[in-house]
């Protein structure tokens, strides 16, 4: 896990997410790229230098955030992008190769009823980069128990598990699998990929209306400190394919959530 990206929006607690990312990165000797995205359209000569000025202001703000954390021995680099957040993330991924995005569920606290805000939802919806969602105020501790929940054990590519395997090996985590049979499941869904089985200590099969309800049913008994799910068009965050925000009434987690996905070749 060489490169970790931390997008920074208008969240006044951005330094908390950055500190978490630094503490996490120190376990893997990763580099951190702290990124801010803005949108300035300069169509006339008089506005030609506005983008440059905004970028410089953005860099100064990022430096202020960095000044609030203990960077330890981790190299933290600053990146800015003028345009859409998803385009910016995909561009920096193309240039550098991003192994993991670490982000807060929301960039601000305007709508307390939201679990995922528009920006974070857009990141998950429009990129194929594995993402770790870290609740506000969470202090990093090594993961001891990981609950990996899914409604289909079929994996198109084994490498989708790479971040999970790296985390498991680094922290010697216990991985429990939760297969949730939802309405309309097929026999193929019940065939769990051998790579998943190899890294797990236990497989539980349950039947619920949604994967989320299955997680909630077994959450207390499993005592996870990390929830791992897959990014699929009809997977755990299927609502995200209809909109970019997720209400707390639809999903909420008090622990970090690792969303696995596979980059396009």
């Amino acid at each position: 896990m060489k490169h970790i990206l931390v997008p920074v929006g208008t969240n006044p607690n951005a330094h908390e997410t950055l500190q978490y990312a630094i503490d996490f990165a120190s376990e893997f000797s990763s580099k951190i790229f702290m990124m801010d995205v803005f949108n300035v359209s300069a169509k006339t000569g008089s506005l030609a230098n506005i983008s440059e000025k905004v970028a410089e202001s953005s860099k100064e703000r990022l430096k202020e955030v960095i000044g609030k954390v203990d960077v330890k021995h981790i190299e933290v680099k600053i990146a800015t992008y003028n345009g859409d957040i998803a385009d910016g993330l995909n561009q920096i991924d193309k240039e550098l190769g991003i192994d993991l995005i670490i982000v807060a569920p929301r960039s601000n606290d305007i709508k307390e009823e939201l679990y995922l805000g528009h920006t974070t939802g857009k990141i998950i919806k429009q990129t194929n980069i594995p993402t770790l969602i870290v609740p506000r105020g969470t202090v990093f501790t090594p993961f001891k128990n990981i609950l990996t929940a899914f409604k289909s054990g079929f994996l198109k590519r084994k490498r989708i598990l790479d971040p999970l395997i790296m985390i498991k090996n680094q922290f010697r985590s216990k991985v429990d699998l939760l297969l949730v049979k939802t309405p309309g499941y097929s026999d193929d869904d019940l065939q769990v990929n051998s790579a998943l089985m190899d890294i797990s200590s236990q497989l539980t099969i349950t039947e619920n209306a949604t994967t989320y309800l299955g997680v909630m049913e077994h959450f207390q008994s499993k005592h996870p400190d990390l929830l791992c799910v897959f990014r699929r068009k009809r997977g755990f965050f299927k609502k995200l394919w209809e909109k970019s925000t997720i209400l707390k009434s639809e999903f909420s987690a008090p622990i970090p959530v690792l969303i696995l996905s596979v980059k396009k070749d």
Side-chain angles (χ1 to χ4, degrees), residues 81-101:
Y81 183 81
N82 182 13
D84 180 77
I85 178 80
D87 292 339
L89 293 176
N90 287 323
Q91 180 64 35
I92 195 171
D93 179 39
K94 184 178 179 180
E95 293 176 4
L96 302 171
I98 300 301
D99 299 301
L100 182 70
I101 295 174

Side-chain angles (χ1 to χ4, degrees), residues 145-171:
N145 298 306
I146 302 174
L147 178 60
T148 301
F150 49 92
K151 68 176 185 178
S152 174
F154 175 75
L155 300 179
K156 287 185 177 180
R157 296 178 177 88
K158 179 182 175 181
R159 60 190 174 90
I160 192 174
L161 298 175
D162 286 353
L164 176 60
I165 292 172
M166 283 187 279
I167 289 173
K168 176 189 183 301
N169 292 341
Q170 181 65 29
F171 304 124

